[in-house]
Amino acid sequence: MRAHQIMTRDVVTIGPEASIVDAATIMLTHHVSGLPVIDHDGELIGVISEGDFLRRVEIGTERKRGRWLRLLLGPGQTAADFVHEHGRKVGEIMTRHPYTVRADATVADIVRAMEKYHIKRLPVMQDGRMIGIVTRKNLLQAVASLVREAPNSPSCDDSIRTKVIAAIESNDWRPFGLSVLVRNGVVHLSGVITEERSRKASIVAAENVCGVKEVHDHLCWVDTMSGFYLNSPEDEHALKSA
């Protein structure tokens, strides 16, 4: 499997001038742990994640370094720490120059990069532009689908996947962060919905694609006000049966 086959295409992003409050709210609303940061030209310039909120003055977790360590590190590092702990804009606390993968990167390449750099997500690049993102959750979904289904023609599944994505993403009720996995004609839908009726609409759209044998629902419902979320009925049933 390649990055473009398992990645999330409809990526939720944010700009560098947005406030950190906006970033935190978006992450909670869409039930994601990180956001690619895109500039006015559509270029990927960084990533802001949960880890960037760990050392913050608001919660009293800023770094407490001794005098000798501060002297050893120098004023530059102290200044950088101050900006990260007190910064009010995304561009001030984000991780710059994020690690990325190409669209044709193998799953093995993705796992090696995540382990090497101790990261949970990798933007997927093609011709210098971000076209999606691969997270650990995408890898988990890929493993689950491969275990359940027998091997078949990858090219056929790729064609079905492309058509399913097109059928769903052309509508205003489409899930956020839509991810589609196809194995042997069996479709697995993942992403975030804020309206329960979008679940059925997404399933029906997938079922109407030629070659689809079965559709599994992994769409997570999120309340936009509180950030409260519920797994899909199918996933809840699987958890209770485990």
Side-chain angles (χ1 to χ4, degrees), residues 157-177:
D157 284 342
D158 280 349
S159 176
I160 292 173
R161 181 176 182 274
T162 299
K163 292 175 183 177
V164 169
I165 290 172
I168 295 175
E169 288 193 338
S170 61
N171 301 282
D172 56 6
W173 44 256
R174 66 186 181 276
F176 297 104

Side-chain angles (χ1 to χ4, degrees), residues 27 32-36 47-51 98-100 114 118-123 133-136:
M27 288 164 67
V32 294
S33 60
L35 298 169
V47 170
I48 185 169
S49 67
E50 293 169 334
Y99 297 107
T100 63
M114 286 183 172
H118 307 289
I119 52 180
K120 298 179 180 180
R121 65 197 60 79
L122 284 163
I133 194 166
V134 173
T135 66
R136 291 182 180 181

Side-chain angles (χ1 to χ4, degrees), residues 5 20 25 51 54 59 65 75 84 95 102 116 118 123-125 140 152 172 175 190 207 211 216 242:
Q5 295 174 303
I20 62 170
T25 301
L54 293 180
I59 55 177
R65 290 195 169 107
H84 200 275
T95 299
R102 293 169 34 140
K116 181 178 180 180
H118 307 289
V124 181
M125 309 297 289
L140 180 62
N152 78 310
D172 56 6
S190 301
E207 288 174 339
H216 289 278

Side-chain angles (χ1 to χ4, degrees), residues 21-35 50 192 220-229:
V21 174
D22 288 339
T25 301
I26 291 172
M27 288 164 67
L28 289 170
T29 299
H30 295 288
H31 194 44
V32 294
S33 60
L35 298 169
E50 293 169 334
V192 174
C220 172
W221 176 84
V222 174
D223 180 75
T224 56
M225 299 298 291
S226 65
F228 177 75
Y229 72 94

Side-chain angles (χ1 to χ4, degrees), residues 55-161:
R55 297 288 184 178
R56 291 295 303 178
V57 66
E58 296 90 345
I59 55 177
T61 56
E62 63 269 40
R63 294 184 186 278
K64 305 291 194 302
R65 290 195 169 107
R67 177 171 174 268
W68 289 110
L69 183 56
R70 292 199 304 271
L71 287 173
L72 180 64
L73 293 174
Q77 184 60 55
T78 304
D81 288 345
F82 181 87
V83 170
H84 200 275
E85 294 161 359
H86 294 76
R88 311 306 299 170
K89 296 180 180 179
V90 168
E92 295 168 339
I93 74 167
M94 69 182 184
T95 299
R96 297 180 178 275
H97 311 298
Y99 297 107
T100 63
V101 292
R102 293 169 34 140
D104 61 352
T106 66
V107 170
D109 293 333
I110 295 168
V111 171
R112 275 194 294 268
M114 286 183 172
E115 289 184 335
K116 181 178 180 180
Y117 301 117
H118 307 289
I119 52 180
K120 298 179 180 180
R121 65 197 60 79
L122 284 163
V124 181
M125 309 297 289
Q126 187 171 46
D127 299 326
R129 293 280 176 169
M130 186 182 73
I131 61 170
I133 194 166
V134 173
T135 66
R136 291 182 180 181
K137 183 177 180 180
N138 294 131
L139 294 172
L140 180 62
Q141 292 163 348
V143 170
S145 67
L146 287 171
V147 168
R148 280 193 290 260
E149 310 299 335
N152 78 310
S153 169
S155 61
C156 181
D157 284 342
D158 280 349
S159 176
I160 292 173
R161 181 176 182 274

